Amino acid sequence: MDKTKVGIINVTGYVGVELARLLHQHPQVELISVTGRSAAGQKLGSVFPHLAGIDLTIEAELGEVDLAFSAMPHKESAGEVTPLVDRGTRVVDISADFRLKNAAEYVSTYGFTHPAPQRLGQAVYGLPELHGAEIAPAQLVANPGCYPTGAILALAPVVKAGLIEPEIVVDSKSGLSGAGRTLSLRSHYSETNEDTAAYALEGHRHLPEITQELGLLHSGQALSVTFVPHLTPMTRGILTTCYATLSAGKKGQEELRQLYLDFYRGKPFVRIAEEPPHTKHTWGSNLCLIYPTIAPATGKLIVISCIDNLVKGAAGQAVQNMNLMLGLPEVSGLEAVAVYP
Amino acid sequence: MDKTKVGIINVTGYVGVELARLLHQHPQVELISVTGRSAAGQKLGSVFPHLAGIDLTIEAELGEVDLAFSAMPHKESAGEVTPLVDRGTRVVDISADFRLKNAAEYVSTYGFTHPAPQRLGQAVYGLPELHGAEIAPAQLVANPGCYPTGAILALAPVVKAGLIEPEIVVDSKSGLSGAGRTLSLRSHYSETNEDTAAYALEGHRHLPEITQELGLLHSGQALSVTFVPHLTPMTRGILTTCYATLSAGKKGQEELRQLYLDFYRGKPFVRIAEEPPHTKHTWGSNLCLIYPTIAPATGKLIVISCIDNLVKGAAGQAVQNMNLMLGLPEVSGLEAVAVYP
Amino acid sequence: MDKTKVGIINVTGYVGVELARLLHQHPQVELISVTGRSAAGQKLGSVFPHLAGIDLTIEAELGEVDLAFSAMPHKESAGEVTPLVDRGTRVVDISADFRLKNAAEYVSTYGFTHPAPQRLGQAVYGLPELHGAEIAPAQLVANPGCYPTGAILALAPVVKAGLIEPEIVVDSKSGLSGAGRTLSLRSHYSETNEDTAAYALEGHRHLPEITQELGLLHSGQALSVTFVPHLTPMTRGILTTCYATLSAGKKGQEELRQLYLDFYRGKPFVRIAEEPPHTKHTWGSNLCLIYPTIAPATGKLIVISCIDNLVKGAAGQAVQNMNLMLGLPEVSGLEAVAVYP
Amino acid sequence: MDKTKVGIINVTGYVGVELARLLHQHPQVELISVTGRSAAGQKLGSVFPHLAGIDLTIEAELGEVDLAFSAMPHKESAGEVTPLVDRGTRVVDISADFRLKNAAEYVSTYGFTHPAPQRLGQAVYGLPELHGAEIAPAQLVANPGCYPTGAILALAPVVKAGLIEPEIVVDSKSGLSGAGRTLSLRSHYSETNEDTAAYALEGHRHLPEITQELGLLHSGQALSVTFVPHLTPMTRGILTTCYATLSAGKKGQEELRQLYLDFYRGKPFVRIAEEPPHTKHTWGSNLCLIYPTIAPATGKLIVISCIDNLVKGAAGQAVQNMNLMLGLPEVSGLEAVAVYP
């Protein structure tokens, strides 16, 4: 059988190279084209020595592919993706440009007027554990943000079951690759090594995604999500600790665990952990580990999730979406065990 | 003037060596005796090369001192400290053995029956920003835990002002020196590097301290504190993110900031930060940085604090207590600027 | 076709779990048995959550396998391996117990009298790039040490070509997983983070291996290898910088590079790098990157190699040896691209 | 007594802020002026929160001072320093602009024609352990590079004593703060964390300094120094491992150690270590630890040194030079013990 031809727009960031790594190793697709403005004309393996085994030259324009991934920055991605969708190419857009259903939120959250608002309704939010059936036939899939992936998967079961009060706290700890390969003082080694700090206290761009998706699962009073992201000195990984108050008639620890096991039954990339999970246990893999528990002193619900932000939080999830879109096994090309220690 | 003679019981852990560093550099005291069981008989500088400039031999028994620091583990410290106190030596106990007022909590929290419960009422909880007046004349000061120091200082102003609802979430991120020098898989480099995880979800020993001290400041319905500590891959530093709901008639951002400025006016080791603080900005110093803010999306109160867990969270605070006990300037020997980057 | 049945003796160290990861993902073998004394009776995935996808219980005794890997510590491995070899099982021994040809060196280097010296001549030193033809039919393969793998591969081409004077300096920088999972102050996070130091200046156990293998390639005056290992704060990776004086009639830079390209032509896991290589470019992969150059100021030969110490330096190389022994493609199960960044 | 007024040109890099930290804590000088182009007009503590205790505004032009430090980049520093020297201000230049005696080397090494070659003979190379007597009266002191400080101090005793053959290998491992605060991919967290690599194999700019200074101590055949710097994932610290062949009539281990003890007797910032030293033991301090030894297998001389690159390798050494120039105790303001762990 011929392999499906795929390509990556803007391969030169961390999500782009991670996609290249995964697609190169995927048994049923062939990566035939990668683009990147500044590096156009160079061999992929010259710019990224770990990809020296991939014989591709970085191009200015994407070649003819069956399915394209856009790893462009937000605001710029829509402009690349829309013409492709118009001419029938299927696309997984890893930027934020098609994640939000409400065009007005692009103005308030990202500071730009969305250039193709009519596409927002058509795009499917690419969290396979929640939207698998819609992703399969979709032409345009909006790959979720890294923080939303961890937060939504942690909270979806209790929100859907109506088990918690609407006030939720989401406290995330992220490694630095999430800030990308673009140079900035925030990612400068000497500034970030031996350091932990919160940021975006004025409101992080991923909050509307979290609220939108949990809101779809929720009935009753609107959810109130307080989200604080933190940077910790590691390259990969996001650990998210969620806090909520259990509604009256609350569940016990075992019942809670069973709820999560039931919710994610048959989902290959979610594992309900038996112990508080470590980001390191997901390093390089597409797994999301989730640990729900109840604080003995206060009865508060605590749900902890962890993912590799570049895999389940970005490139791996994009491949998972592609698998569903192409009718391939969901786990195809994503079966690698985490590299530990 | 003769310098006050001081000594350290159990110098061989990280808190002990940090105390030795600070006391050696202190202009008004003289470190004349250090003990340590396993290393007794060795030169301090042979076991800890960075202390080669201190000409002391580790002894089995503490020499005659005016004031003693105990850096013994909890449960063992009380046995060392009680005879000293009995014969009139002033003591700063860095263990947990005299922090809790209620003897029953030692059974439930630390799993042992307190050997000298009558001393619990006499000991002063050594958080100078709250208990300075009681510390000055005290004979026995119980130095706070590292997590409680960051959490209590972050929350004291709003708790005392009655500004928040009783449900509080305290999410702390700690470096690994807090776990001590004792070997364990939790502190093994390859296990912890590139890793973040929560622990002690069944209840951390520092929670009763936090509840006790905030409770003293609080009136009305009992506080309900959910505390989750996390380990992040750095040697020093604790960042604590606190979440609470502001009571009706809530304050604005500027009013909130002013409340903190007023509360900590004249306290040399607390600084109300203008930006979200970084643990790195306290590295090696006795500072606690505090940043109170209000989440724009939800109106939730967020207060972030950070400290160096070995300095303000342990040895530095012990020296600060000693300064107050000896009538020395509070900042004496503690003026070092954080080492950055 | 039935898969070859393989097993791991002592799966509970870092080399053991890395082998389990690689063998689980190997398309032509089946991992059916793993042993470990302290953890016997536990599920592999309970002790190592990243291996939760492998449905095996850690046993006290190895099951019936076609080929066994021993990840026992040196001195203990020989006792496990010898009976297996006696009854015809093929073995890759990852310990040092069969690496040295001269039994006397076990006394001087490892401090024990070898229990089965007659096997030393029979065992093949498992560096496939040098001994591939002997490994294929071997019953017992001695997997090389991590430092020797990097050093020997870096120097073999110039030693064999007789291009250098006999005095060689080998300066290696290793991550900490090489020190294993056993607890020690040397691998304690707070001791090793933000630290670089040399060790084993009195003579490292890997030196005789390096000397033995380079000696086999060398003619003329005996080689004199000064080897200094260093620990740097990273989990995986060894960078080795080798220094030697080029003999009269020395080569130019391009000629030197060509010598390396020719020497390693057709060797899938050695790549002659175009730029000074980074350990990070081998993270999780079985590659060895080699960069030979000539110091412009002095004409000194400098050869830099880097590997992932747990893959090409241990478990990956063991799988590569197994592939040769079983007549499988050399790269089978080892094609994963390095995980970067 | 009035304190000496000092200032820092270009305070906004890592060396500049480290100088500010040290000078602020110095008992006999007063830091009254700091400059920085991009940040001019801002409070020092706004740009660098750890310096919030220093009440200075960053200026465009240096105020009137008795002694100035230039932390400008090379090539630009000479232009700032020359007018100051012309009008009689004493200067410690931390850039490379006055380190080399031979003006031609600026063209070959730094790629610019020196603007004030007549000053090169006048400037004193500011390595106090070698040139203390000349530094004291100097008007212009050229503060050594970080790598040369570690390498020269490691080798000076044996070079001066004529104990080694002229071929020397210097293999250095540096933390990342040496690369400065300027953004670059080489200092980007995700690129450098979990990575070790060599660089500048085409010739590092610090080599001529090493050769110049060792050459002054050496008689006979010119030295041939092969120098390879490496970056390791830590913020501070340089470990330098030097290799040389001992001349005929070589010394024993104890004799060698005695030679080092004698050479550095009375030098407060050099300590001859009893064990292989760790960079961590110098963290934040002005110490240089040196460990000379002889490889048992080959008789090769190995000398290891370590320093904190921002203190003894830059700002601390600059303060040490200032102390000598002002007739202050050499250790004044530099007595802080290393912060460990």
Side-chain angles (χ1 to χ4, degrees):
Chain A
M1 192 187 77
D2 276 1
K3 291 183 174 184
T4 303
K5 289 180 170 46
V6 301
I8 303 168
I9 302 169
N10 194 30
V11 75
T12 57
Y14 288 144
V15 174
V17 292
E18 188 68 347
L19 256 176
R21 179 176 77 89
L22 294 172
L23 293 169
H24 173 65
Q25 299 180 151
H26 195 291
Q28 287 133 330
V29 305
E30 187 184 3
L31 177 63
I32 63 154
S33 178
V34 296
T35 79
R37 281 168 299 187
S38 58
Q42 294 187 260
K43 297 288 292 183
L44 185 56
S46 296
V47 185
F48 299 101
H50 74 296
L51 299 180
I54 305 179
D55 185 23
L56 284 174
T57 297
I58 300 172
E59 301 165 287
E61 295 292 327
L62 193 68
E64 201 59 47
V65 297
D66 303 315
L67 186 146
F69 296 89
S70 170
M72 292 291 287
H74 66 80
K75 188 177 174 186
E76 297 181 58
S77 193
E80 298 276 341
V81 161
T82 307
L84 285 172
V85 172
D86 284 346
R87 66 177 199 250
T89 307
R90 299 179 84 183
V91 175
V92 178
D93 183 359
I94 300 170
S95 87
D97 283 3
F98 295 96
R99 294 181 197 154
L100 302 176
K101 298 300 172 197
N102 179 349
E105 289 200 299
Y106 282 94
V107 179
S108 56
T109 306
Y110 290 94
F112 70 95
T113 302
H114 200 283
Q118 72 287 358
R119 296 279 184 204
L120 294 177
Q122 175 191 354
V124 176
Y125 190 79
L127 194 57
E129 288 74 16
L130 297 187
H131 301 293
E134 304 148 70
I135 291 164
Q139 205 205 337
L140 173 56
V141 169
N143 213 55
C146 51
Y147 289 120
T149 296
I152 298 165
L153 292 176
L155 290 164
V158 283
V159 168
K160 185 156 185 220
L163 283 183
I164 58 173
E165 299 295 323
E167 289 210 356
I168 299 171
V169 166
V170 176
D171 184 297
S172 290
K173 299 88 178 163
S174 176
L176 285 145
S177 61
R181 199 167 184 250
T182 305
L183 301 181
S184 87
L185 216 46
R186 181 188 283 170
S187 307
H188 196 63
Y189 185 88
S190 300
E191 299 287 319
T192 53
N193 182 39
E194 276 287 306
D195 188 43
T196 293
Y199 71 104
L201 288 155
E202 70 288 357
H204 190 279
R205 286 166 167 168
H206 283 172
L207 176 57
E209 266 181 69
I210 299 172
T211 306
Q212 166 183 295
E213 291 298 314
L214 291 180
L216 291 172
L217 298 170
H218 178 69
S219 53
Q221 192 189 341
L223 294 172
S224 163
V225 180
T226 299
F227 167 53
V228 179
H230 301 74
L231 292 179
T232 57
M234 54 189 195
T235 302
R236 290 169 177 244
I238 293 179
L239 188 102
T240 295
T241 315
C242 305
Y243 302 88
T245 300
L246 287 163
S247 306
K250 69 175 195 179
K251 301 260 173 177
Q253 178 77 42
E254 272 316 300
E255 223 176 336
L256 178 69
R257 186 174 162 79
Q258 194 57 49
L259 175 81
Y260 274 78
L261 287 169
D262 291 346
F263 191 93
Y264 288 117
R265 178 153 298 124
K267 305 299 181 191
F269 295 116
V270 174
R271 183 183 301 153
I272 310 307
E274 293 174 25
E275 302 284 342
H278 291 242
T279 59
K280 202 174 183 84
H281 294 154
T282 64
W283 220 95
S285 95
N286 200 49
L287 270 187
C288 176
L289 303 176
I290 301 181
Y291 182 77
T293 191
I294 296 170
T298 61
K300 198 93 173 177
L301 174 72
I302 301 167
V303 190
I304 299 169
S305 71
C306 63
I307 58 172
D308 180 325
N309 58 299
L310 290 179
V311 189
K312 183 61 176 167
Q317 186 144 269
V319 172
Q320 188 182 353
N321 279 316
M322 177 196 77
N323 286 342
L324 295 177
M325 293 164 79
L326 298 179
L328 302 173
E330 190 168 354
V331 300
S332 199
L334 295 170
E335 293 168 287
V337 172
V339 181
Y340 163 96
Chain B
M1 194 186 76
D2 276 2
K3 292 184 174 183
T4 302
K5 290 179 169 46
V6 300
I8 302 168
I9 302 170
N10 194 29
V11 74
T12 57
Y14 288 145
V15 174
V17 293
E18 189 68 346
L19 256 177
R21 179 178 77 88
L22 294 172
L23 293 170
H24 174 64
Q25 298 180 152
H26 195 292
Q28 288 132 330
V29 305
E30 188 184 2
L31 178 62
I32 62 155
S33 178
V34 296
T35 79
R37 281 169 298 189
S38 58
Q42 293 187 260
K43 296 287 294 179
L44 185 56
S46 296
V47 185
F48 298 102
H50 75 296
L51 299 180
I54 304 180
D55 185 23
L56 284 174
T57 297
I58 301 172
E59 300 165 288
E61 295 292 327
L62 192 68
E64 200 58 46
V65 297
D66 302 315
L67 186 148
F69 296 89
S70 170
M72 291 292 286
H74 67 79
K75 190 178 173 186
E76 297 181 58
S77 194
E80 297 277 341
V81 160
T82 307
L84 285 172
V85 172
D86 284 345
R87 65 174 197 253
T89 306
R90 299 179 83 185
V91 174
V92 178
D93 183 359
I94 300 171
S95 87
D97 282 2
F98 296 96
R99 293 181 198 154
L100 302 176
K101 298 300 172 197
N102 179 349
E105 288 199 299
Y106 282 94
V107 179
S108 57
T109 306
Y110 290 94
F112 71 95
T113 302
H114 200 283
Q118 73 287 1
R119 296 278 183 206
L120 294 177
Q122 175 191 351
V124 178
Y125 190 78
L127 195 56
E129 288 74 17
L130 297 187
H131 300 295
E134 304 147 71
I135 291 163
Q139 205 206 334
L140 173 55
V141 170
N143 212 56
C146 53
Y147 288 120
T149 296
I152 298 166
L153 292 176
L155 290 164
V158 285
V159 169
K160 185 157 184 218
L163 282 182
I164 57 172
E165 299 294 323
E167 289 211 356
I168 299 171
V169 165
V170 175
D171 184 296
S172 291
K173 299 89 179 161
S174 176
L176 286 144
S177 60
R181 197 164 185 251
T182 305
L183 300 180
S184 87
L185 216 45
R186 180 189 285 171
S187 306
H188 196 63
Y189 185 89
S190 299
E191 299 287 319
T192 54
N193 183 38
E194 276 287 303
D195 187 43
T196 293
Y199 70 105
L201 287 154
E202 70 288 358
H204 190 281
R205 287 168 167 167
H206 283 173
L207 177 56
E209 267 181 70
I210 299 172
T211 306
Q212 166 183 294
E213 291 298 313
L214 291 179
L216 292 172
L217 298 170
H218 178 67
S219 53
Q221 192 188 344
L223 294 173
S224 162
V225 179
T226 300
F227 168 53
V228 179
H230 301 74
L231 292 178
T232 57
M234 53 190 195
T235 302
R236 289 171 178 243
I238 293 179
L239 189 101
T240 294
T241 314
C242 305
Y243 302 88
T245 300
L246 287 162
S247 306
K250 70 172 193 182
K251 302 258 171 177
Q253 178 77 43
E254 272 315 301
E255 221 175 337
L256 178 69
R257 186 175 162 77
Q258 193 58 49
L259 175 80
Y260 274 77
L261 287 169
D262 292 345
F263 191 93
Y264 288 116
R265 178 153 300 124
K267 305 299 182 193
F269 295 116
V270 175
R271 184 183 299 152
I272 310 308
E274 292 175 25
E275 303 283 342
H278 291 241
T279 58
K280 203 177 183 82
H281 294 154
T282 64
W283 220 96
S285 94
N286 200 48
L287 270 186
C288 175
L289 303 176
I290 301 181
Y291 181 77
T293 191
I294 297 169
T298 61
K300 198 93 174 178
L301 174 71
I302 302 167
V303 189
I304 299 169
S305 72
C306 63
I307 58 171
D308 180 326
N309 57 299
L310 290 180
V311 189
K312 183 62 176 165
Q317 186 144 269
V319 172
Q320 188 182 352
N321 280 317
M322 177 197 75
N323 287 341
L324 295 177
M325 293 165 79
L326 299 179
L328 302 172
E330 190 168 355
V331 300
S332 200
L334 295 170
E335 293 168 289
V337 172
V339 181
Y340 164 96
Chain C
M1 195 186 76
D2 276 359
K3 291 182 174 185
T4 303
K5 290 179 170 47
V6 300
I8 302 169
I9 302 169
N10 194 30
V11 76
T12 57
Y14 288 145
V15 173
V17 292
E18 188 69 346
L19 256 176
R21 179 177 77 88
L22 294 172
L23 293 170
H24 174 65
Q25 300 179 151
H26 195 292
Q28 288 134 330
V29 305
E30 187 183 3
L31 177 62
I32 61 153
S33 178
V34 297
T35 78
R37 281 169 298 187
S38 57
Q42 294 187 261
K43 296 288 294 181
L44 185 56
S46 297
V47 185
F48 299 100
H50 74 296
L51 299 180
I54 305 180
D55 185 24
L56 284 175
T57 297
I58 301 172
E59 301 165 288
E61 295 292 326
L62 192 69
E64 200 59 46
V65 298
D66 303 315
L67 186 146
F69 295 88
S70 170
M72 291 292 286
H74 66 80
K75 188 176 173 188
E76 298 182 58
S77 194
E80 298 277 340
V81 162
T82 307
L84 286 171
V85 173
D86 284 345
R87 67 176 197 250
T89 307
R90 298 179 84 184
V91 175
V92 178
D93 184 358
I94 300 170
S95 85
D97 283 2
F98 296 95
R99 293 181 198 154
L100 302 177
K101 297 302 172 195
N102 180 348
E105 288 200 300
Y106 283 94
V107 179
S108 55
T109 306
Y110 290 94
F112 71 95
T113 303
H114 200 283
Q118 73 287 0
R119 295 279 183 204
L120 294 177
Q122 174 191 354
V124 177
Y125 190 78
L127 193 57
E129 288 75 16
L130 297 186
H131 300 295
E134 304 147 71
I135 291 164
Q139 205 206 335
L140 173 56
V141 169
N143 213 55
C146 51
Y147 288 120
T149 296
I152 298 166
L153 291 176
L155 290 164
V158 284
V159 168
K160 184 156 184 220
L163 282 183
I164 57 173
E165 299 294 322
E167 289 210 356
I168 299 172
V169 166
V170 175
D171 184 297
S172 290
K173 298 90 178 164
S174 176
L176 284 145
S177 61
R181 199 167 183 249
T182 305
L183 301 180
S184 87
L185 215 47
R186 181 187 283 170
S187 306
H188 196 62
Y189 185 88
S190 300
E191 299 287 319
T192 52
N193 182 38
E194 278 287 305
D195 188 44
T196 293
Y199 70 104
L201 287 154
E202 70 287 357
H204 190 281
R205 285 166 167 167
H206 283 172
L207 176 57
E209 266 182 68
I210 299 172
T211 306
Q212 166 183 295
E213 290 299 312
L214 292 179
L216 292 172
L217 298 170
H218 178 69
S219 52
Q221 192 188 342
L223 293 173
S224 162
V225 179
T226 300
F227 167 53
V228 179
H230 301 74
L231 292 179
T232 57
M234 53 189 196
T235 302
R236 288 170 178 245
I238 294 179
L239 188 101
T240 295
T241 314
C242 306
Y243 302 88
T245 300
L246 287 162
S247 307
K250 70 174 194 178
K251 300 260 171 176
Q253 178 78 44
E254 271 317 299
E255 221 175 337
L256 178 69
R257 185 175 163 79
Q258 194 57 49
L259 174 82
Y260 274 78
L261 287 169
D262 292 346
F263 191 93
Y264 288 116
R265 177 152 300 124
K267 305 299 180 191
F269 295 115
V270 175
R271 184 182 300 151
I272 309 308
E274 292 176 24
E275 303 283 343
H278 291 241
T279 58
K280 204 176 181 82
H281 293 154
T282 65
W283 219 96
S285 95
N286 200 48
L287 269 187
C288 176
L289 304 176
I290 301 180
Y291 182 77
T293 191
I294 297 169
T298 60
K300 198 93 173 179
L301 173 73
I302 301 167
V303 189
I304 299 170
S305 72
C306 63
I307 58 171
D308 180 325
N309 57 299
L310 290 180
V311 189
K312 183 61 177 168
Q317 187 144 272
V319 173
Q320 188 182 353
N321 279 317
M322 177 197 76
N323 286 341
L324 295 178
M325 292 163 80
L326 299 178
L328 302 172
E330 190 168 355
V331 300
S332 199
L334 295 171
E335 293 168 288
V337 171
V339 181
Y340 163 97
Chain D
M1 193 186 77
D2 275 4
K3 291 183 174 183
T4 302
K5 290 179 168 47
V6 301
I8 303 168
I9 302 170
N10 195 30
V11 74
T12 57
Y14 287 144
V15 173
V17 293
E18 188 69 347
L19 256 177
R21 179 176 77 88
L22 293 172
L23 293 171
H24 173 64
Q25 299 180 152
H26 195 291
Q28 288 133 329
V29 305
E30 189 184 2
L31 178 63
I32 62 155
S33 178
V34 297
T35 79
R37 281 168 299 189
S38 58
Q42 294 188 259
K43 296 288 293 181
L44 185 56
S46 297
V47 185
F48 298 100
H50 74 297
L51 299 180
I54 305 180
D55 185 23
L56 283 175
T57 297
I58 301 172
E59 301 166 286
E61 294 293 327
L62 192 69
E64 200 60 46
V65 298
D66 302 316
L67 186 147
F69 295 88
S70 170
M72 292 291 288
H74 67 79
K75 189 178 173 185
E76 296 181 58
S77 193
E80 297 277 341
V81 161
T82 307
L84 285 172
V85 172
D86 284 346
R87 65 174 198 253
T89 307
R90 299 178 84 185
V91 175
V92 177
D93 184 358
I94 300 171
S95 86
D97 283 3
F98 295 96
R99 293 181 197 154
L100 302 176
K101 297 302 171 195
N102 180 349
E105 288 199 299
Y106 282 94
V107 179
S108 56
T109 306
Y110 290 94
F112 71 95
T113 303
H114 200 283
Q118 73 287 358
R119 295 277 183 208
L120 294 177
Q122 176 191 351
V124 176
Y125 190 79
L127 194 57
E129 288 75 16
L130 297 186
H131 300 295
E134 303 149 70
I135 291 164
Q139 205 205 335
L140 173 56
V141 169
N143 212 56
C146 52
Y147 288 121
T149 295
I152 297 166
L153 291 176
L155 291 164
V158 284
V159 168
K160 185 155 183 221
L163 283 183
I164 58 173
E165 299 294 321
E167 289 211 355
I168 299 171
V169 165
V170 175
D171 183 295
S172 290
K173 299 88 178 160
S174 176
L176 285 145
S177 61
R181 199 165 182 249
T182 306
L183 301 180
S184 87
L185 216 46
R186 181 188 284 170
S187 307
H188 196 63
Y189 185 88
S190 300
E191 299 287 319
T192 53
N193 182 39
E194 277 287 305
D195 188 43
T196 294
Y199 71 104
L201 287 154
E202 69 288 359
H204 190 281
R205 287 166 166 168
H206 283 173
L207 176 57
E209 265 180 70
I210 299 171
T211 306
Q212 167 183 293
E213 292 298 314
L214 292 179
L216 292 172
L217 298 170
H218 178 69
S219 53
Q221 191 187 343
L223 294 172
S224 162
V225 180
T226 299
F227 167 54
V228 179
H230 300 74
L231 292 179
T232 57
M234 53 188 194
T235 302
R236 289 171 177 242
I238 295 179
L239 189 101
T240 295
T241 314
C242 305
Y243 302 88
T245 300
L246 287 163
S247 307
K250 70 174 192 180
K251 302 258 171 176
Q253 180 77 42
E254 272 316 300
E255 222 175 337
L256 178 69
R257 186 175 162 77
Q258 194 57 49
L259 175 82
Y260 274 77
L261 286 169
D262 292 344
F263 191 93
Y264 287 116
R265 177 151 300 124
K267 304 300 181 191
F269 295 116
V270 174
R271 183 182 301 151
I272 309 309
E274 293 175 26
E275 301 285 341
H278 291 242
T279 59
K280 203 176 184 81
H281 294 155
T282 65
W283 219 95
S285 94
N286 200 49
L287 270 186
C288 176
L289 303 176
I290 302 181
Y291 181 77
T293 191
I294 297 170
T298 61
K300 198 92 172 178
L301 173 73
I302 302 167
V303 189
I304 299 169
S305 72
C306 63
I307 58 171
D308 180 325
N309 59 298
L310 290 179
V311 190
K312 183 61 178 167
Q317 187 144 267
V319 172
Q320 188 182 354
N321 279 315
M322 178 197 76
N323 286 341
L324 295 177
M325 292 164 79
L326 298 179
L328 301 172
E330 189 167 355
V331 299
S332 199
L334 294 171
E335 293 168 286
V337 171
V339 182
Y340 163 95

